[in-house]
């Protein structure tokens, strides 16, 4: 069964360093997402991406964050200068259609997550 | 007021019992509704979508009441493997919004 994969499973970094979290979405999917979950908190939407551009982003997704699809398979989340409060589990997800207003939602498949620890 | 509210639990329920979860949402513009389950330190997985007419999938029944802005999930004949956190999720304007979840422990 196709699945979303993420690397690394755990990333430890020093405050102020840049990190890149990597995701390989399911191959025929067109919509890609990043979420984060701080320990003990709810899953929070960060950004959605379609057709090589951001389609929606949350208030959390500020200038320190960026996403890229550098080739046909990878989808990355970059945090430019990490802060202590960026420590969280970061989930990538993909779907074969988006949750656009007025359309039916298609299931988002989540990757296993990358645990980011900022020291 | 939070956009999605759930009782955090935990619900400790004996195996075989029926358990019900409730969820309320504040934004009437919310378009689609779902229940996800999340096992400890794992990713969320879609359990079922929730339709206005109510829908059932095996032991699971979901209901949506748009007038009251209320969603429910009923699990019948609970199994040990049902132990997890159940997340109420809605879709609005291409955003997916998760509730904090309700923890369920099925006791042998």
């Amino acid at each position: 069964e196709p699945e979303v994969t993420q690397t690394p499973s755990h990333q430890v970094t020093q405050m102020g360093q840049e990190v890149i979290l990597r995701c390989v979405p399911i191959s025929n999917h067109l919509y890609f997402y990043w979420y984060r979950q701080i320990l003990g908190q709810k899953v929070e939407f960060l950004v959605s991406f379609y057709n090589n551009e951001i389609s929606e982003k949350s208030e959390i997704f500020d200038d320190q964050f960026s996403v890229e699809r550098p080739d046909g398979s990878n989808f990355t989340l970059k945090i430019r200068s990490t802060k202590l409060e960026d420590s969280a589990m970061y989930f990538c997800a993909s779907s074969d259609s988006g949750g656009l207003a007025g359309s039916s939602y298609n299931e988002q498949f989540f990757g296993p997550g990358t645990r980011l620890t900022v020291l | 007021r939070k956009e999605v509210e759930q009782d955090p639990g935990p619900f400790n329920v004996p195996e075989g019992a029926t358990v019900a979860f409730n969820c309320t949402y504040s934004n009437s513009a919310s378009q689609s509704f779902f229940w996800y389950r999340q096992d400890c330190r794992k990713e969320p997985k879609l359990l079922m979508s929730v339709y206005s007419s109510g829908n059932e999938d095996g032991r699971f029944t979901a209901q949506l009441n748009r007038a009251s802005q209320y969603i429910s999930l009923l699990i019948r004949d609970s199994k040990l493997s049902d132990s997890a956190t159940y997340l109420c999720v809605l879709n609005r304007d291409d955003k997916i919004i998760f509730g904090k979840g309700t923890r369920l422990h099925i006791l042998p």
Side-chain angles (χ1 to χ4, degrees):
Chain A
E1 186 178 327
E3 58 183 19
V4 177
T5 59
Q6 290 186 242
T7 53
S9 57
H10 191 187
Q11 174 88 50
V12 181
T13 190
Q14 295 288 329
M15 190 171 59
Q17 295 296 304
E18 174 183 287
V19 293
I20 297 176
L21 309 182
R22 291 184 165 79
C23 169
V24 179
I26 293 173
S27 62
N28 64 338
H29 284 187
L30 301 175
Y31 295 80
F32 314 111
Y33 309 85
W34 282 102
Y35 296 85
R36 78 172 187 191
Q37 186 174 31
I38 295 169
L39 188 63
Q41 302 296 314
K42 65 178 182 178
V43 177
E44 298 174 290
F45 169 79
L46 292 178
V47 66
S48 57
F49 190 87
Y50 169 71
N51 200 26
N52 284 318
E53 60 183 29
I54 290 172
S55 50
E56 189 73 48
K57 61 182 181 179
S58 72
E59 308 76 37
I60 302 167
F61 194 88
D62 61 22
D63 292 343
Q64 292 298 311
F65 292 88
S66 62
V67 289
E68 198 177 32
R69 189 154 161 81
D71 53 42
S73 59
N74 289 285
F75 179 51
T76 62
L77 174 69
K78 182 193 288 186
I79 309 175
R80 263 179 269 284
S81 176
T82 50
K83 303 187 281 287
L84 294 176
E85 54 266 36
D86 293 328
S87 294
M89 182 74 94
Y90 287 80
F91 293 108
C92 173
S94 70
S95 69
D96 59 6
S97 76
L100 300 175
S103 72
S104 61
Y105 168 84
N106 271 24
E107 180 179 356
Q108 293 186 15
F109 292 82
F110 282 74
T114 292
R115 181 166 298 283
L116 176 65
T117 302
V118 182
L119 303 176
Chain B
R1 184 181 170 186
K2 293 176 187 171
E3 185 150 10
V4 181
E5 295 219 50
Q6 295 183 252
D7 182 339
F11 287 20
N12 297 309
V13 174
E15 192 176 7
T18 296
V19 60
F21 302 128
N22 301 319
C23 168
T24 56
Y25 61 96
S26 59
N27 193 325
S28 59
S30 303
Q31 293 147 330
S32 309
F33 307 88
F34 314 89
W35 286 101
Y36 276 72
R37 73 171 273 170
Q38 186 175 26
D39 293 288
C40 188
R41 297 184 180 273
K42 299 285 191 182
E43 71 274 22
K45 291 187 178 176
L46 180 66
L47 182 64
M48 59 196 302
S49 302
V50 187
Y51 304 118
S52 297
S53 54
N55 48 302
E56 190 173 307
D57 183 2
R59 298 180 293 111
F60 300 85
T61 301
Q63 297 273 350
L64 165 63
N65 184 324
R66 285 190 185 270
S68 302
Q69 296 181 194
Y70 168 95
I71 305 152
S72 66
L73 176 69
L74 187 77
I75 306 176
R76 289 181 298 279
D77 187 24
S78 52
K79 313 287 184 197
L80 294 176
S81 56
D82 293 333
S83 296
T85 297
Y86 289 82
L87 311 176
C88 176
V89 181
L90 57 86
N91 166 238
R92 177 175 57 77
D93 298 333
D94 206 24
K95 286 183 186 173
I96 307 301
I97 300 165
F98 284 77
K100 200 170 173 183
T102 300
R103 283 182 295 140
L104 174 65
H105 296 151
I106 303 298
L107 307 172

